């Protein structure tokens, strides 16, 4: 599992840092291979992680999360640009820092979206096709 993650990270970051230019055909195959390795890595990680209440809740409310994550992300992005523009520009200019920031932001968004998911499930279940 760690090996698959290591291979995936090498596939993603080595060409970026080494500034490797690939012919178009090789680049297309590389993109497909990176996607396949990423999916395999995600599946292997999912098999290792033990289910808990948080993961189960997010999984049960995937539709709500999918519908609302873009809205919440745009609000957070607007706030970052307005109040921490310099920091946000530095984060976006570095691929490594941007990747770490993305993971943290994804976790924060999933925690923030617990509130609207609870409200929708409690008072408006018909929005997602559920009955009370």
């Amino acid at each position: 599992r760690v090996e698959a993650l290591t291979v995936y990270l090498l596939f993603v970051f080595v060409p970026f840092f080494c500034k490797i230019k690939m012919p178009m055909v090789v680049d297309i195959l590389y993109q497909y291979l990176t996607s396949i390795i990423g999916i395999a890595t995600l599946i292997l990680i999912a098999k290792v992680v033990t289910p808990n209440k948080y993961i189960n809740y997010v999984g049960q409310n995937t539709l709500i999360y999918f519908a609302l994550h873009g809205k919440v992300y745009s609000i957070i992005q607007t706030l970052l640009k307005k109040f921490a523009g310099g920091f946000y520009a530095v984060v976006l200019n570095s691929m490594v820092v941007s990747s770490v920031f993305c993971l943290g932001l994804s976790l924060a968004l999933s925690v923030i979206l617990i509130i609207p998911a609870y409200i929708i499930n409690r008072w408006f279940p018909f929005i997602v096709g559920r009955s009370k």
Side-chain angles (χ1 to χ4, degrees):
R1 290 149 216 166
V2 174
E3 298 84 15
L5 181 60
T6 305
V7 169
Y8 176 72
L9 291 175
L10 286 173
F11 261 82
V12 170
F13 287 113
V14 168
F16 179 77
F17 286 120
C18 296
K19 307 283 189 225
I20 297 173
K21 292 273 188 174
M22 294 183 266
M24 188 170 72
V25 173
V26 175
D27 188 45
I28 291 170
L29 292 174
Y30 167 77
Q31 295 298 327
Y32 279 113
L33 189 60
T34 303
S35 299
I36 291 168
I37 293 172
I39 291 168
T41 303
L42 188 63
I43 291 170
L44 290 173
I45 290 172
K47 287 183 176 185
V48 173
V49 174
T50 56
N52 56 38
K53 288 183 178 182
Y54 173 73
I55 291 174
N56 288 337
Y57 187 79
V58 172
Q60 291 170 350
N61 294 291
T62 303
L63 184 60
I64 296 170
Y65 274 63
F66 182 69
L68 299 178
H69 84 278
K71 281 44 168 189
V72 175
Y73 173 72
S74 68
I75 290 170
I76 291 174
Q77 186 178 27
T78 303
L79 291 173
L80 281 171
K81 285 179 183 176
K82 190 170 194 172
F83 297 111
F87 168 75
Y88 193 52
V90 169
V91 167
L92 293 179
N93 284 330
S94 170
M95 184 172 180
V96 175
V97 177
S98 179
S99 297
V100 172
F101 183 76
C102 177
L103 288 172
L105 186 60
S106 297
L107 183 62
L109 281 173
S110 68
V111 171
I112 291 168
L113 286 172
I114 289 174
I115 297 166
Y118 175 77
I119 291 170
I120 289 171
N121 285 327
R122 171 84 182 185
W123 291 290
F124 308 104
F126 56 87
I127 290 176
V128 288
R130 296 180 184 151
S131 60
K132 280 195 172 185

